[in-house]
Every structure is written in C-alpha cells, then in structure tokens.
Amino acid sequence: MRSTFIIAFRDLSSFLKSPIFYVLTAVFLILFNYIFFNILNFFSFQSMQAAQMQGQMGAMGLNLNDMVVQPSLHNMGVILLLMIPLITMRSFSEEKKNKSVNLLLSSPVQLHEIVIGKFLACFLVVATMISLTLISIGLLFYVGEPELGPIATSYLGMLLMASCYISVGVLASSLTDNQIVAAVMSFGFTLFMWIIGWGAQAAGSDFGDLLKYLSLIDHLDPFFKGMFDVADFAYYLSVILFGLFLTHRTLDSNRWR
Amino acid sequence: MISVDGLTKFYGPRQAIKQLTFDVEEGEVVGFLGPNGAGKSTTMNILSCIIPASGGSAKINGFDIFEESLEIKKIIGYLPEVPPLYPDMVVSDYLRFAAGIRCVPKNKIDEAVEAALEKCWLKDVKHRITGRLSKGFQQRVGLAQALIHEPEILILDEPTIGLDPLQIIEIRKLIKELSKDRTIILSSHILPEITQICQRVIIINEGEIVAVDSLEGLTASLRKTERIQLSIREGQNQAKEILEKIRGVASVSQNDNGEFQIECELGSSLQDEIARTTLDNKWGLVELKQNAVSLEDVFLQLTTEETQVEL
C-alpha cells in the first residue's frame, strides 16, 4: 500500500510541476463559471417574471437546485469529458515513452499497486478541479436557499462519473505509448458511453434497456435529484473497477509479448 | 547465487534467447559479451523479473524468478539500457522516489539517498532536473537508482553505451569500486570494457552461449587453434586416435551427436588432410566444416567494433 501512495504522490507532484494542471484547471473553471452564471442569470430573469405574474402561475416550478445546480453540473460533466483524457493520457504512455516504467517494473511493487497509484493521482487532480467549483455553488447560499442534500449527492455522482472517465483514461494510456492516441481513445470511448443510450429506441425493448443501463449519464440523474441509489453507485463502481482490472491485465500481458 | 537453466525467450515467432545455462557465484563480476541483438538485454530483463521467460528456469539466491519475483526484486538493482529517469524530476527527489518504491524504510531514505549521491559522484547535480543532465550524468543517476537499496546483485545493461571516453572511464572506475562487495552482471558489446572489469565472460551470439570462460582462458584458447567439425558414418572408435596423429591437430573431441571437434593450429588449413584421412580409412564422410558459429568470428567482430579505451 505504501508503494501505491509513493507512486500517486510522484505523479501528483509531477502534475503540479507541469503547466498542464494549471492550464486545465483555469480553463475548466472559466468555462464552468461562465456557464453557471449564465444559467443563474436566466433563472433570476425567470423568477422576476414569475414575481410579476404572481397569482397566476406562482413561483411553483422555480427551484435553485433543479434549475441552476443540476444543469450546471450537467455541463460540468461535458467539460470533464473533454478534459479528463488530457489528464489521464500521461499515466502510462509517458512512462513507457521515456522507459521509466522499467523502474516501476523492476521494483518490488505489484502491478495492482502501480495501477491504483496512477488512478489515485488522476483522481486527486480531478477532485481538486471539481471541488473548486463549489466556490460558485456556495455563492447560491447568499442569494437564495438551495437544498444542501441534493448538492452533496450531485457532487458525489459527479466524482463517481469522473472516476469512470479516469479509469477508462488510465486503461487507454496503458495500451499505447503515444499520449495523443491515449487521449483520443479515452475521449472516444467515454463519449460513446455517454450517448450509448441514444440507440435504445432503435434497438428494441430488451437490448434497448441494456443500452440505456450502460449509459454513463443516465445513472447520474438520481444523484442530481438527491437520491443515493445503491444500484447506480454499484454501476459506477463496477465501471471503475473493470477499467482498472483491464489496465492491470494490459500491463501484465505487455510483459509477455 | 544466480543459476540459470535452459532459459528461453520467444518474441512472437522469433527466438531471442535459446537454452541459456550458466551460473554466477557470489561476489563475482560477470560480463555478457555479444554483438547487438544477441539477447543480452532480454536475458537481463528476465533476470530482473521485468519480462517472463518462455521456458527454462532461473534462481537467484534460491528464489525462483517466476514464482518469487517480489523477493528477487528486493535484492536486485537494475540499470536498464536506457536509464529509467523521469525527465521532470530533480535528481534528489528522483532518488527518494526510487528508494521509496524499492522498499527502503522511511527513516533510512535520507541516508540512502546521500550514500547513493556520494557513491556516484552526483552531489553537485542533486538539485538539477534529470532531463537536462548530460548523458553521462543521466547514466550515473541510473546507476544511483540501482544502488539505492544496497542490493546484493547489480545487473547493468550496457552501462557505458553512448558515453564519451572520459565518462566511460569514470563509470568503469565506479563499477570496479562497487564490485568489491557485490555480485555484478554487466553486458557490453565492447571487448576491452569486459576485459577491464570482469573476471568471467559469457559470450553470446544470436541467443546462444558461445563460450563461458575466464578472460585468460578465452584468449589463450583463441589465439592457438581453429576448430573443424567432422561427422562420419563408421569407424568412430578408431577415428579419434588417427585424427590426433595428423600434423597440426591440437586435440580431438567427440560431442554428444557423435561429431568430432578437431582443434587445429591457427592457419594450418587441415581440411584437405582430414578429408583424405577420412576417405583413406573408409569412414564414410558425411560432413566436414569450419565450425559455424565460431568463437573467433564473434570475438573478432567484438574486438574490431570499437577502439580500446585505456583505463
């Protein structure tokens, strides 16, 4: 376990030393906050209208959680979809390229410790990026009364989905020593896992249900609504673990070739 | 300490090493000598448990390379052909990291890093980024990384490749220094290098061991004889005696397949004479040839490939 943390710590400090982390975080926050404040602006415009037409419709459907937090986080999911492959692409590709992977392989470290270490480093980077958005969300508590519970579960769901992206990204990076190839593969695959549910209608009932179930984004909705469903949690967890398992197998089989 | 038995490795259909068998005693410095692509790196990668062998077995300190690789990795220090550096890391941080994953206890890491810096003359560059160091320094950092956990066995793959003559001399000095209390296996395609550092040489060519001998033994046997291989149908019993009487034949030995290995004096060209003897005695000549993978060829190639650098 100690080796896992040592590897994670090395990767993390390598992120912090390179401009990648700062550029990605800055771009991510600018995009997120632009989207967030526009959504908030639209919400305040709507609530002003609702106030003028008081009595007729009332402010019934207007809710900060549903109309601001949820769509903002939905958009955050899209931004992360673009950015996480850029974070994970280095994990193994870079090590393979500059041959430093031989240091890890000739050390008394087991493969799964290496894989978890790499995952952990990326997760901590992404978790930092995601938690920085809480500053903007926190501002909502000054201007209104959003529910804390659904915000908490939404962020949990977000972290889980981001972890799935990371898991896929780490797997892609273990498959090649080219970072661009790794990034494109993980981006392509995660995007496909997002939209895989779209085929549900054409696919007919049974297969369609399966496609819907596989879709990454569909499992996020309960979290956004403030629910913690074990089934959704298990779905994300199994995607993460399956990705890491395949990474482990890939590294192992690379040794045999 | 290290015993290798019938080690074989395939890369797809290509056989990189074929049935390697050799032993290394404790405290010995053994050189792997062979032209590029002979299977030196493959053997070293297998011994360091980075890649598994396709067949055969090897034991290091009684641990099996396949079953107990974690134990082996603890007692081995490995410097691959390309030093496994993280180009964005500072030398001392890099060594701390190496010490950490090589299971040096937490409270001993500082000590170990200092010792490695000292040994490899890296004190002056310890705050520099490894990616910006010259090749010679990078090689030394690679060596420091292999030494950090005080391993009993050092495996060094081409430790002097790509260095300028001055750096080569420094690295050789360092290896000599280290060999005092360690078992070292190092590979090279340069003969003089092995001559200066190693007590014993294993020459491999195209994945096969051509010779295992001390350096003196090798040079002695090489300079005197050339080898002719003869196989015949009949008369195996008397052939040895008669062949030995031919002028210029140093010795005759028979291998497991019944073929005769005839050691002749250098430049005596005895093919004609041997053929005539065979025909006269009606042994039935099957094959007569200059030994295919002759040690001399490999040796010659190695000796002429690079010019000697004096220590």
Side-chain angles (χ1 to χ4, degrees):
Chain A
M1 214 51 213
R2 183 183 159 221
S3 315
T4 304
F5 289 122
I6 293 173
I7 291 168
F9 179 75
R10 197 216 71 81
D11 271 25
L12 204 58
S13 57
S14 148
F15 271 122
L16 296 181
K17 266 183 258 166
S18 77
I20 300 177
F21 171 73
Y22 302 99
V23 173
L24 277 181
T25 311
V27 171
F28 170 73
L29 288 177
I30 291 167
L31 287 174
F32 173 80
N33 285 320
Y34 186 73
I35 291 168
F36 173 75
F37 283 107
N38 274 310
I39 291 172
L40 188 63
N41 195 33
F42 181 67
F43 177 78
S44 73
F45 174 73
Q46 273 191 314
S47 37
M48 216 157 69
Q49 270 194 328
Q52 281 167 357
M53 293 187 278
Q54 213 173 23
Q56 289 167 22
M57 271 170 58
M60 290 292 283
L62 292 177
N63 170 324
L64 267 179
N65 281 94
D66 282 352
M67 299 190 63
V68 180
V69 178
Q70 193 177 321
S72 303
L73 286 187
H74 215 281
N75 284 304
M76 189 206 287
V78 182
I79 308 172
L80 287 176
L81 192 71
L82 295 162
M83 294 203 155
I84 287 179
L86 303 176
I87 293 169
T88 56
M89 68 181 186
R90 314 173 67 200
S91 299
F92 286 105
S93 304
E94 201 179 31
E95 295 248 7
K96 281 201 218 170
K97 191 131 223 168
N98 59 34
K99 308 273 184 202
S100 52
V101 71
N102 281 337
L103 173 61
L104 300 180
L105 292 179
S106 69
S107 300
V109 185
Q110 282 177 311
L111 277 183
H112 70 258
E113 294 178 303
I114 302 175
V115 175
I116 297 173
K118 294 278 172 197
F119 173 82
L120 200 61
C122 295
F123 176 78
L124 290 173
V125 168
V126 174
T128 312
M129 287 167 65
I130 293 180
S131 54
L132 283 171
T133 62
L134 280 170
I135 300 169
S136 315
I137 299 288
L139 288 177
L140 289 181
F141 286 90
Y142 280 102
V143 296
E145 291 165 345
E147 286 275 339
L148 190 59
I151 293 178
T153 55
S154 302
Y155 269 85
L156 176 67
M158 209 66 212
L159 280 176
L160 282 170
M161 193 167 74
S163 300
C164 293
Y165 296 169
I166 295 170
S167 184
V168 171
V170 170
L171 171 62
S173 136
S174 77
L175 289 168
T176 168
D177 59 4
N178 187 321
Q179 298 193 25
I180 310 267
V181 173
V184 170
M185 278 201 292
S186 61
F187 169 71
F189 187 73
T190 40
L191 182 60
F192 181 69
M193 284 299 281
W194 252 60
I195 57 173
I196 196 170
W198 293 4
Q201 222 161 13
S205 64
D206 287 345
F207 190 53
D209 282 349
L210 178 72
L211 290 183
K212 247 199 155 70
Y213 180 76
L214 284 177
S215 169
L216 270 173
I217 189 71
D218 280 5
H219 293 270
L220 206 54
D221 288 337
F223 284 102
F224 279 170
K225 291 191 179 111
M227 284 188 286
F228 178 81
D229 192 336
V230 177
D232 298 315
F233 183 71
Y235 166 82
Y236 283 127
L237 202 63
S238 40
V239 172
I240 296 166
L241 291 179
F242 189 57
L244 295 181
F245 169 74
L246 288 181
T247 312
H248 182 277
R249 300 320 302 158
T250 309
L251 290 177
D252 206 18
S253 80
N254 278 345
R255 295 172 59 229
W256 287 91
R257 264 176 233 149
Chain B
M1 184 151 224
I2 302 176
S3 68
V4 177
D5 187 19
L7 210 61
T8 305
K9 175 75 187 175
F10 284 94
Y11 289 117
R14 198 174 69 82
Q15 194 169 13
I17 56 173
K18 301 165 191 165
Q19 297 282 339
L20 293 192
T21 304
F22 60 89
D23 286 294
V24 179
E25 300 299 325
E26 189 166 349
E28 225 181 349
V29 181
V30 172
F32 261 125
L33 186 61
N36 295 322
K40 299 179 303 255
S41 296
T42 305
T43 313
M44 296 193 143
N45 275 335
I46 293 173
L47 288 179
S48 337
C49 309
I50 288 183
I51 56 172
S54 315
S57 69
K59 278 195 158 67
I60 297 179
N61 259 11
F63 297 116
D64 188 87
I65 47 161
F66 200 76
E67 303 284 340
E68 294 149 311
S69 59
L70 277 189
E71 297 302 320
I72 289 178
K73 286 174 181 177
K74 279 179 196 159
I75 55 169
I76 271 189
Y78 181 44
L79 170 65
E81 200 169 347
V82 182
L85 306 178
Y86 291 96
D88 59 345
M89 274 179 113
V90 170
V91 172
S92 56
D93 286 348
Y94 171 75
L95 291 177
R96 294 182 67 83
F97 170 68
I101 59 166
R102 288 262 164 83
C103 294
V104 175
K106 223 175 195 170
N107 51 2
K108 296 229 174 93
I109 286 183
D110 285 325
E111 223 176 283
V113 171
E114 278 306 308
L117 288 171
E118 179 87 49
K119 258 184 214 149
C120 301
W121 305 301
L122 285 166
K123 291 228 149 177
D124 298 338
V125 295
K126 69 174 176 181
H127 296 301
R128 287 182 52 192
I129 291 172
T130 57
R132 303 225 181 108
L133 291 174
S134 70
K135 184 79 179 73
F137 273 112
Q138 289 186 345
Q139 199 76 23
R140 280 195 237 161
V141 177
L143 206 53
Q145 158 276 127
L147 286 172
I148 196 96
H149 54 305
E150 293 285 325
E152 295 167 41
I153 300 168
L154 267 182
I155 298 181
L156 311 173
D157 196 354
E158 306 252 2
T160 57
I161 201 167
L163 303 185
D164 66 41
L166 265 173
Q167 294 169 325
I168 291 181
I169 292 168
E170 276 177 27
I171 290 272
R172 280 183 196 163
K173 265 190 206 155
L174 180 55
I175 294 172
K176 271 203 157 160
E177 189 71 31
L178 293 169
S179 66
K180 283 174 188 157
D181 48 359
R182 271 181 200 80
T183 309
I184 299 182
I185 300 183
L186 67 91
S187 73
S188 177
H189 61 282
I190 310 166
L191 183 77
E193 180 161 301
I194 301 269
T195 351
Q196 286 164 16
I197 310 173
C198 305
Q199 295 146 8
R200 209 151 60 93
V201 190
I202 297 173
I203 299 185
I204 55 177
N205 190 33
E206 291 176 7
E208 281 175 298
I209 294 187
V210 187
V212 185
D213 207 342
S214 69
L215 224 102
E216 294 77 27
L218 271 182
T219 10
S221 69
L222 275 168
R223 292 298 143 94
K224 280 190 206 132
T225 62
E226 66 189 34
R227 186 182 288 174
I228 293 172
Q229 189 173 317
L230 170 73
S231 65
I232 50 179
R233 270 192 297 274
E234 293 160 39
Q236 262 89 350
N237 313 329
Q238 41 163 335
K240 185 169 187 241
E241 216 174 310
I242 296 174
L243 284 170
E244 268 171 351
K245 286 183 188 145
I246 297 173
R247 251 179 82 101
V249 170
S251 70
V252 179
S253 60
Q254 203 171 359
N255 69 10
D256 301 342
N257 307 329
E259 291 154 350
F260 290 95
Q261 307 283 345
I262 305 166
E263 303 281 343
C264 313
E265 275 167 27
L266 205 63
S268 52
S269 317
L270 289 176
Q271 280 92 335
D272 285 353
E273 191 58 39
I274 291 171
R276 197 171 303 128
T277 314
T278 311
L279 294 174
D280 289 350
N281 287 296
K282 297 203 168 54
W283 290 332
L285 180 61
V286 178
E287 193 180 20
L288 177 71
K289 63 173 179 184
Q290 194 107 27
N291 221 348
V293 196
S294 82
L295 187 55
E296 295 89 287
D297 292 344
V298 181
F299 207 79
L300 213 72
Q301 191 184 345
L302 294 166
T303 38
T304 50
E305 206 161 287
E306 310 253 340
T307 48
Q308 183 158 353
V309 179
E310 289 298 350
L311 190 72

